Amino acid sequence: MSTDRIPVMIPWLGEEEARAASDAVLSGWVAQGPRVAAFERAFAERVGAEHGIAVSSCTTALHLSLVALGLGPGDEVVVPSLSFIATANAVRYVGAEPVFADVDPATGNLTRATVDAVRTPRTRAVLAVHQGGVPADVPALRAACAEWDLPLVEDAACAIGSTAGGKPVGHGALLAAWSFHPRKIVTTGEGGMITTDDAQWAARLRRLREHGMDASAAERHASDRPVLESYLEVGFNYRMTDVQAAIGLVQLGKLDAMVTRRRALAARYETLLRDVPGLTPVRDPAHGQSNFQSYWVLLAEDFPVGRDDLLAALAAAGVSARRGIMASHLEPAYAGHPAAPLPVTERIGRDSLILPLFHTMTEAQQDRVVAVLREQAGP
C-alpha cells in the first residue's frame, strides 16, 4: 500500500488562477474594484439571482443578511445545531438568540416539522443550511415560512452547483450566503457572497460591507470630479479584494466540471461501499441533487469501532478524514444555552465522518480509503 497521504480535500487551482491573480496585482487595483463587480455578476447569474454582493467570508455574509432583516435583541432565529458553528454565531452577532432545531436523518437538513417543533412567538426568521452541499427541501421550507410569515435565509456555504426543486440552490432565495473557503468547491482562499433578488437590500448590503459608505472606492475613482462620500449608518469592513475575485472568476468557469467529477467519485464510493456493513453514505435527496462538497458516511450504532477510532485507523493508513458535521449546541461556546432534545443531530454528530473527495482523486486512492473501512467493519 502506498504511504502517500490522501488529503480530505485539495482545491482545484492551477496556472489559470495564478495568471488571473497576477494580472490583478499588475493592474494596480488590488482592493475591491472591477473584478469584484464582474465576479458578483457572474456568480449571481450562475445561481439565478438578480444581485450578488461579495464579502470577506460566508460568516460575514450571514451576519449582514441578518442585519438587513433588522434582527436584534429579543428575537429568535431557528437554526440547525448540525452545522459549522458560524451559522449560530451569526445570530448572536446581531444580539438575537439561536434556537436549535433537529434535522432530517437522511439529509442533515432542517424540515418543516423540525422547525415547527421549536418555533415560538418570538421567532423572527429561519436560517436553513444546505449541509455539505446536500440541498434542503427549499420549496417545502419556503412554503412553510410563507405560511408562518417568517423570512427564510439560506446558508448555502457548501452548495454552489447543487440543485433543489429543479433549480440551482440560491434561485429565488430571499437571502443566500455562500463561502469560498479552500474546502469549498469554488474557492478564492477566503471570501463569501450574498445573493438576493431585492435591489434595495443589495444596495444597502453593499454599503454595509464598506462602513456604511454611500459611494464606493470604485465609484469615486471612476468619477471625473471629486466625490464626497457620506456614511449613512454604522457599517463594517467586509470587503473582498480584486485578487480574490480574479481567482473566483476562473474557479466559477470550472464549476460544471468540478461538480460532474465529484458526483462521479461519489457514485463510485457508493458502489464500493455497498457491501460494507454498518455504513450509510450520504445520497441525493428526492427533491434535488448534491454537489457532494463533502462525502460523509454514518456508522451504525453497532459498528465494530467508534467514529474516533475509525478516524485514527484511517490516519494510520495515510488517509486524512474528518469528523462529521458538528452539533453546535454541544460545543463549549454554547454551554448552558437552552436546547430542545436533538436526537438526530447528536447521533449524526457522534457517528459520522467525512471521507476524502477532491477533483484529482484517483481510483487507487478511493480504493485505499475503502480498504480501511472494509477492514474496520470486520468479516
Side-chain angles (χ1 to χ4, degrees):
M1 180 179 289
S2 170
T3 57
D4 293 338
R5 179 161 291 276
I6 301 172
V8 71
M9 170 62 174
I10 304 174
W12 187 23
L13 296 165
E15 287 296 324
E16 195 176 354
E17 286 87 352
R19 286 193 300 270
S22 176
D23 288 346
V25 170
L26 295 174
S27 76
W29 194 297
V30 295
Q32 179 181 283
R35 288 172 175 82
V36 168
F39 185 39
E40 289 174 332
R41 290 190 298 270
F43 190 90
E45 181 178 359
R46 184 62 173 77
V47 303
E50 292 294 323
H51 305 280
I53 303 93
V55 290
S56 54
S57 70
C58 186
T59 305
T60 58
L62 289 169
H63 181 201
L64 290 188
S65 296
L66 300 182
V67 170
L69 291 175
L71 300 178
D75 296 334
E76 293 179 350
V77 180
V78 176
V79 302
S81 170
L82 191 76
S83 182
F84 185 60
I85 202 165
T87 305
N89 286 351
V91 178
R92 281 186 160 178
Y93 292 168
V94 297
E97 284 299 311
V99 174
F100 293 118
D102 217 348
V103 293
D104 174 74
T107 67
N109 289 324
L110 295 182
T111 68
R112 178 192 178 108
T114 64
V115 172
D116 201 23
V118 297
R119 195 169 53 90
T120 77
R122 292 173 56 200
T123 304
R124 293 291 177 268
V126 176
L127 206 175
V129 178
H130 301 281
Q131 196 52 258
V134 177
D137 190 349
V138 169
L141 284 172
R142 288 180 185 169
C145 285
E147 179 183 324
W148 301 325
D149 194 26
L150 294 174
L152 176 68
V153 178
E154 297 179 36
D155 182 340
C158 301
I160 181 63
S162 297
T163 64
K167 302 287 181 63
V169 166
H171 184 279
L174 186 71
L175 291 158
W178 310 80
S179 173
F180 306 126
H181 181 273
R183 277 196 60 191
K184 306 305 186 288
I185 295 179
V186 169
T187 184
T188 60
E190 286 284 1
M193 187 79 70
I194 307 165
T195 54
T196 182
D197 290 341
D198 190 298
Q200 290 185 325
W201 274 353
R204 186 179 178 218
L205 289 164
R206 290 193 176 97
R207 291 195 303 269
L208 284 169
R209 72 176 171 188
E210 199 163 6
H211 303 287
M213 188 164 43
D214 67 349
S216 70
E219 290 168 336
R220 298 198 310 274
H221 282 278
S223 176
D224 59 1
R225 62 187 64 187
V227 176
L228 302 179
E229 74 277 8
S230 295
Y231 296 83
L232 305 183
E233 60 182 312
V234 175
F236 309 88
N237 183 2
Y238 284 172
R239 291 168 291 196
M240 177 182 280
T241 70
D242 258 27
V243 179
Q244 291 170 289
I247 295 170
L249 283 164
V250 176
Q251 286 274 286
L252 201 57
K254 294 179 172 181
L255 177 59
D256 288 337
M258 288 192 280
V259 172
T260 297
R261 175 63 175 158
R262 296 181 79 86
R263 287 185 57 78
L265 289 167
R268 188 170 188 270
Y269 259 139
E270 182 165 4
T271 298
L272 293 172
L273 294 172
R274 192 165 291 153
D275 64 343
V276 179
L279 294 179
T280 302
V282 61
R283 296 183 175 94
D284 283 331
H287 55 261
Q289 287 191 334
S290 176
N291 60 10
F292 290 104
Q293 183 272 335
S294 291
Y295 190 89
W296 75 81
V297 294
L298 182 66
L299 305 184
E301 297 192 71
D302 62 352
F303 198 77
V305 298
R307 190 271 312 279
D308 293 352
D309 289 338
L310 182 54
L311 285 172
L314 286 161
V319 176
S320 295
R322 295 288 184 272
R323 70 168 182 171
I325 303 143
M326 67 172 62
S328 296
H329 73 287
L330 298 180
E331 292 297 317
Y334 284 90
H337 187 84
L342 303 170
V344 177
T345 294
E346 293 184 8
R347 164 95 165 86
I348 296 174
R350 182 186 68 240
D351 294 332
S352 65
L353 67 156
I354 295 170
L355 302 181
L357 185 67
F358 46 92
H359 186 82
T360 55
M361 190 175 199
T362 65
E363 290 189 358
Q365 288 174 318
Q366 268 196 310
D367 292 343
R368 280 178 56 196
V369 174
V370 172
V372 179
L373 298 175
R374 190 180 301 280
E375 179 184 8
Q376 293 299 311

